[in-house]
Amino acid sequence: MFDIGFWELLLIAVVALVVVGPEKLPRLVRVCGLWIGRANASLQAVKNDIAKELRAEEIKQAFKKPDDLPDLNEIIDIDDPEPREKPAENTNKPQDNQQAKDGK
């Protein structure tokens, strides 16, 4: 995000040491770290809220456009009163059973 290198950070530390003083510098660093952490948490919460709202909007738009979906009657065959015939599991016909009894 920021293109800050080692030398820039070192220069900022030296200036802060001269301006604030060595006894107050640790407290200043701690407070700045807390502020940065809070700002980062707030930004993350805003990003999550925006993403949640976008997903909700996408779902609303998906429900408004049912034309993209295939006709459910064609898929489920609700209009067809007769159930489709299933293939016969037993392939032996009564004639085959009779021949098996006769030993042929």
Side-chain angles (χ1 to χ4, degrees):
M1 191 158 106
F2 298 109
D3 192 23
I4 298 177
F6 173 74
W7 295 111
E8 288 89 358
L9 288 175
L10 185 64
L11 180 64
I12 292 171
V14 169
V15 170
L17 182 63
V18 169
V19 172
V20 176
E23 56 275 345
K24 293 183 182 179
L25 186 62
R27 183 175 178 180
L28 176 69
V29 170
R30 190 177 316 118
V31 169
C32 287
L34 288 173
W35 285 352
I36 291 171
R38 289 178 184 170
N40 192 14
S42 297
L43 286 174
Q44 192 64 33
V46 169
K47 286 180 184 179
N48 289 339
D49 288 342
I50 290 172
K52 191 184 300 183
E53 289 296 323
L54 288 176
R55 276 187 255 126
E57 187 63 31
E58 289 174 357
I59 291 172
K60 286 178 186 178
Q61 289 177 357
F63 281 129
K64 288 181 182 178
K65 294 184 180 181
D67 298 335
D68 296 340
L69 300 175
D71 188 19
L72 292 178
N73 288 335
E74 292 176 7
I75 296 173
I76 304 174
D77 292 331
I78 293 176
D79 296 333
D80 188 17
E82 298 176 10
R84 293 184 179 177
E85 293 183 19
K86 295 181 182 178
E89 292 179 14
N90 187 4
T91 57
N92 294 336
K93 296 179 181 177
Q95 297 168 354
D96 293 336
N97 289 338
Q98 186 63 29
Q99 289 176 356
K101 289 180 183 177
D102 293 338
K104 293 182 184 178

